[in-house]
Amino acid sequence: KAFHYFLVGTKTSIRSERTFIMTSSEIQDEQSAEEKRQGGIAWSGSLVGSKNPNNLGYRYSHAHKRFKKDATENEKDILPINLVVQFQNRQGDELGDIVDIPTKSTMEDLSALVQSLLEEEEKVPYSFYARMQRNGLEEDIEITTETIVDFLRQQPSLSTEQTLTLTYHPLSIFRVRPVTRCTDTLPGHTEAILHVSFSPDGRLLASGGGDTMVRFWTVTTALPKQTCKGHRDHVLCTAWSPDGKYFVSADKRGMVMLWDPNTGKLQGQPIRAHTPKWVTSIAWEPLHYAPNSCCERFATSSKDGSVRIFNARTHAKLATLQGHTDSVECVKWGGSGLIYTASRDRTIKVWTADGNHDLGKLVRTLVGHGHRINTLALSSDSVLRSGPFDNRGKIHKDLIDDTKEAARQRYQEALGGEPERLVSGSDDFTLFFVESIQK
């Protein structure tokens, strides 16, 4: 044996007159395997020497029994792959039988499992509480971790060899049910409806569509009131005057028509506003800023890059606002005597709206957007559109005979002493916010 282990140190072993080239580690592995098969006291050392002076080279081994080794840091974190749980509700009623679930399950997975056991059609999120012993008392501890295994690491005293009771709590007991039906259906148009708008008092509704028709509807009864024929192409945009006396519509051929909302009759001849380019937007002058105490002026924007202002009573063109180098997508008539236009040329232009001599004079050009500008909105849009009418569609009893003053008071109350604000939206994914533009 001494000769044998001496030759081990020289990486040579002679057995039965044959020579094998084996390393010392390979010989030790072979001996360990043989010892596991036979059991008993086995040699596990080497005559060559050991770094541990207390190691005498012997250990106890048994062929049919394993002894737990000292756990390393990684072995202490080893948790079972599966866990047996029993679901129950807050009243303690068990849900189904015990279930064997993966410890990597998330709270969403547990919610889906509970939903399937309850046979729920709607997806309801749940929170879960684990029942465990603390100081001799049973407590329900909420699982706030992402997975079950993370919770087990936080609770080392929790036994994984017994069935874990999980109590589920619905997170959305009171829910707002979605609207699943409409109150009324208004049939009539034979092609796509492209624009709708309420009257300033909210009692009438107007619509324009691809069938070239303009239709008026009574809101309270949801019945048609008037059907207006005259356009020869798609009706793209519509607008009510703030006092409710005029209604204007514009089509894809650049034609503008004014209607009497009460009779449905065309007022005067059609206006060739931007022929042949289509009209993109319409804006009425605010009632409180109108010079004659009645709304008569309105502005139209078009793909021809211009904005034109007309008189609704005379149908006369009062001004043409030119300066944009591409299609004007939106026009807004503000309550402080300014007109705002937004264009595909990435600019917003501000124009004066005072009287007739200074009407349409360029005040400022706002730049900054990196792509075309699609829309504009004013902080005073609601009161500018509804004029003297409040949210119930009524005029204050003391100002029934002075609608301009009623509109002015509503405008001032809406602003609350703050300046009128403008916001723009662009294809560059940004909104620009502008305050206090001076003439």
Side-chain angles (χ1 to χ4, degrees), residues 354-389:
D354 293 329
N356 293 322
H357 299 289
D358 293 332
L359 183 63
K361 180 180 178 181
L362 182 63
V363 175
R364 187 176 301 177
T365 300
L366 306 177
V367 297
H369 277 295
H371 212 296
R372 68 185 184 190
I373 303 172
N374 300 314
T375 184
L376 294 174
L378 290 169
S379 58
S380 56
D381 270 342
S382 61
V383 293
L384 295 181
R385 184 185 61 83
S386 55
F389 300 97

Side-chain angles (χ1 to χ4, degrees), residues 218-245:
T218 304
V219 174
T220 55
T221 61
L223 294 176
K225 181 178 176 63
Q226 305 290 345
T227 300
C228 307
K229 300 180 181 179
H231 287 286
R232 296 184 179 181
D233 212 325
H234 297 64
V235 179
L236 300 180
C237 48
T238 63
W240 295 78
S241 62
D243 56 7
K245 296 180 180 179

Side-chain angles (χ1 to χ4, degrees), residues 203-259:
R203 298 176 181 175
L204 295 178
L205 173 69
S207 60
D211 57 1
T212 72
M213 297 293 181
V214 173
R215 294 178 181 270
F216 294 99
W217 314 80
T218 304
V219 174
T220 55
T221 61
L223 294 176
K225 181 178 176 63
Q226 305 290 345
T227 300
C228 307
K229 300 180 181 179
H231 287 286
R232 296 184 179 181
D233 212 325
H234 297 64
V235 179
L236 300 180
C237 48
T238 63
W240 295 78
S241 62
D243 56 7
K245 296 180 180 179
Y246 292 100
F247 178 82
V248 62
S249 60
D251 62 29
K252 197 173 180 180
R253 296 190 181 185
M255 301 294 292
V256 172
M257 297 185 182
L258 286 118
W259 311 89

